[in-house]
Amino acid sequence: MKFSDIEEDLTVQIFDRYGKFITELKNNSGWDGTFNGQELPATDYWFVVKRTDGSEYRGHFSLKR
């Protein structure tokens, strides 16, 4: 997404394959693939990006270990 690296208040929510909320990333923070201090399995995860203009982008990715 163009300019997302400098956009304030951009959030990324990550969910597992069952729709369980895993984490929310703000201000270009990273995610280490854990939940409550436990490594999550290498599988598919879904995300929702919410931009400050109200637009949302949805997609998925594979976590590989």
Side-chain angles (χ1 to χ4, degrees):
M1 291 179 289
K2 192 171 184 177
F3 303 117
S4 64
D5 57 333
I6 59 171
E7 184 174 335
E8 293 183 25
D9 300 322
L10 179 132
T11 61
V12 179
Q13 296 176 327
I14 299 176
F15 303 87
D16 71 6
R17 67 184 329 147
Y18 304 106
K20 178 181 175 182
F21 176 75
I22 302 296
T23 192
E24 182 173 89
L25 310 176
K26 295 182 179 183
N27 300 325
N28 293 315
S29 60
W31 178 52
D32 61 1
T34 63
F35 180 71
N36 290 335
Q38 301 290 322
E39 284 191 352
L40 291 174
T43 187
D44 292 334
Y45 294 88
W46 279 254
F47 65 87
V48 177
V49 175
K50 295 182 181 182
R51 298 193 77 169
T52 54
D53 67 2
S55 60
E56 291 186 359
Y57 298 89
R58 298 170 183 265
H60 70 280
F61 64 94
S62 295
L63 176 66
K64 294 187 175 188
R65 297 219 174 266

